[in-house]
Amino acid sequence: MKTLKVIKIGGNIIDNEDALQTFLKEFSKIEGLKLLVHGGGKLATKLANQMQVEVKMIDGRRITDAETLDIITMVYAGKINKNIVAQLQAFNCNAIGFSGADGNAIVSNKRPVKNIDYGYVGDVKQVNTTTLELLLENDVTPVFCAITHDKNGQLLNTNADTIASELAIALSQIFKTELYYCFDKNGVLKDVNDDHSVIESITSENVQQLIDDQIISEGMLPKINNCIYAVKHNVQKVCIGKPEMLFDKKSIYTTISK
């Protein structure tokens, strides 16, 4: 069984042109099968402000009305996705850009309204791996943005961390999958003010204690929940840290495993 690396990058890389170019140059050198998932960065908010469309956030989550969906589709699936694909081609990494609608890759349900109406936000229901397997086996790297669809013609804004996790889980039936979340910290930290206090190993057994002790809290909590969900569903390991963890053997980061 071949190993597949599913790698997710966020706004801290996307918003910095030099950091993105450096990352993609190194990413293109990764040997073996790989798949890239990217978030949206600040560009959608900037464009919304320019177009005088109100940006609504609740607890750090974007409320996606029809106008906002148009903007993030243009930015995520258009400008950012195609820019990444074009740069990878320049580094001789053959890539294809994907939303969940392309190849019917990721089907989502529109999030039901409970206390908050998130608008056109999707929760992943199904990942179809047939097209992805064909591409990966032919040395083509899929590059996913954070847009899915509902199979009824509606696009949906979907959390990029979740997309990465669901892709790694679905593809674990075909490949040995490893999931890498790249962000601006060295990993999960014992002390949020000390970037060297990395917890190098977390298991599904000891994670609850870290949550109870509030070492894992706030924004890190949903990310860790995605990680634990992935390792419990056949993903070999999940790593969280700076992008250097992919390229530098001396790099320190957090590995989450069963």
Side-chain angles (χ1 to χ4, degrees), residues 48-110:
N49 290 333
Q50 285 172 353
M51 294 171 72
Q52 298 184 318
V53 173
E54 187 186 354
V55 176
K56 299 173 199 157
M57 307 284 281
I58 295 179
D59 296 333
R61 291 170 186 258
R62 189 188 295 270
I63 304 296
T64 308
D65 59 17
E67 277 187 302
T68 304
L69 182 66
D70 284 348
I71 290 168
I72 65 168
T73 302
M74 285 190 284
V75 173
Y76 296 2
K79 181 168 175 55
I80 294 173
N81 190 267
K82 298 310 162 201
N83 177 49
I84 287 172
V85 169
Q87 288 197 53
L88 287 174
Q89 299 295 3
F91 295 129
N92 296 315
C93 173
N94 195 7
I96 274 192
F98 270 86
S99 72
D102 296 298
N104 190 32
I106 307 174
V107 181
S108 291
N109 291 327
K110 187 171 180 282

Side-chain angles (χ1 to χ4, degrees), residues 136-155:
L136 287 161
E137 291 287 12
N138 284 280
D139 294 324
V140 180
T141 297
V143 177
F144 272 86
C145 68
I147 302 278
T148 58
H149 76 133
D150 69 353
K151 203 72 167 67
N152 294 306
Q154 180 64 57
L155 294 172

